[in-house]
Amino acid sequence: MEFPAWIVDRVMARQGSLHPYPRFDARRTAFVVVDLQNYYTQPGFMGECAPARATFGKVNQLAAALREAGGTVIWVLTCADGADRFWSHHHASMLTPERSARRLLELGRTHAGFEIAPGLDAQPGDPRVIKRCYSALVPGSSTLDDELKARGIETVLIGGTVTNVCCESTARDAMMMNYATVMVEDALSAVTPEEHVQSLHNWMLFFGDVLSVDEVASRLEALEQATALA
């Protein structure tokens, strides 16, 4: 991803390099794939982000590369069962009654909207984590932090949808919980290109790195080559 000169200048001044992570130890790296469920990706569902479908190939590519290198792929799924109680402000004040009812229905655990979208290579050995709100790492939302700590994860790669809501919310919390955190730009999507780009610009300025799937994969390969030569 190309960044405007003013972003490059500020990032360089802050940290001395544009991309701070020259390599990733795959064994301590997790690809956290957020909300690639039917509800958020498929036509006919209220939460559809149509551009998400174009990222499935890249998501699968990175998942396969990380698994092969010994890393972890975690699928994070939103479930709205009981959300009218535990997230009552959102449902009562920020959604119309009609939209609230539809979200509760289509993101219910037994509804097709909850399922991982077809075309994604979710393997049986990949952990699946259910979250209750935008961030999977805000207290009480999910067991994602437990899953990461149990595997000794130090680096979190974020993909999924939408870039500027659930993905960015989870990524921000990961960074502030001391995980090295990377937004994988071509494994992410937002409703509009402008939202996607603006989110990644702000992320780059203050929170972590932005890399493509190929750039992440090349850093995994560089670590493997260095280990082989040691």
Side-chain angles (χ1 to χ4, degrees):
M1 182 174 181
E2 295 292 327
F3 294 96
W6 64 271
I7 291 180
V8 173
D9 290 346
R10 284 175 57 180
V11 173
M12 292 290 292
R14 174 171 56 80
Q15 63 190 30
S17 62
L18 187 60
H19 300 292
Y21 312 122
R23 61 175 63 94
F24 300 115
D25 180 345
R27 298 161 300 174
R28 297 185 178 277
T29 299
F31 180 29
V32 175
V33 186
V34 179
D35 287 351
L36 289 186
Q37 300 160 258
N38 288 330
Y39 177 82
Y40 292 108
T41 68
Q42 299 303 302
F45 290 95
M46 188 177 74
E48 180 194 2
C49 173
R53 295 190 289 275
T55 69
F56 288 4
K58 287 295 185 179
V59 169
N60 290 342
Q61 178 187 339
L62 181 53
L66 188 55
R67 289 192 203 99
E68 183 177 359
T72 302
V73 180
I74 300 177
W75 301 86
V76 175
L77 311 175
T78 295
C79 180
D81 289 345
D84 52 337
R85 299 186 301 277
F86 68 72
W87 209 12
S88 58
H89 165 71
H90 179 67
H91 271 269
S93 302
M94 301 186 70
L95 297 173
T96 66
E98 294 77 16
R99 293 182 72 87
S100 174
R102 191 170 171 189
R103 183 178 187 273
L104 292 169
L105 173 66
E106 294 182 355
L107 271 179
R109 194 187 295 255
T110 61
H111 196 280
F114 175 76
E115 298 171 4
I116 293 176
L120 290 164
D121 184 25
Q123 294 290 309
D126 297 340
R128 298 190 184 193
V129 169
I130 295 174
K131 69 179 175 71
R132 306 206 311 174
C133 56
Y134 289 163
S135 171
L137 288 170
V138 72
S141 180
S142 85
T143 61
L144 178 59
D145 188 45
D146 295 333
E147 294 284 351
L148 297 173
K149 285 185 166 56
R151 291 166 173 78
I153 299 300
E154 296 176 352
T155 298
V156 172
L157 312 171
I158 298 287
T161 202
V162 294
T163 309
N164 54 313
V165 187
C166 294
C167 298
E168 183 178 345
S169 296
T170 299
R172 285 192 185 205
D173 284 341
M175 176 269 185
M176 287 182 278
M177 294 169 70
N178 208 36
Y179 294 102
T181 310
V182 178
M183 295 283 268
V184 186
E185 53 101 358
D186 50 352
L188 290 160
S189 58
V191 175
T192 66
E194 291 79 9
E195 291 169 271
H196 178 73
V197 169
Q198 289 169 12
S199 176
L200 295 180
H201 281 181
N202 194 58
W203 173 264
M204 193 72 171
L205 281 169
F206 297 105
F207 297 101
D209 205 1
V210 175
L211 297 172
S212 68
V213 166
D214 288 343
E215 288 169 330
V216 172
S218 71
R219 284 157 171 77
L220 291 171
E221 294 167 0
L223 178 62
E224 291 168 350
Q225 291 166 4
T227 302
L229 293 173

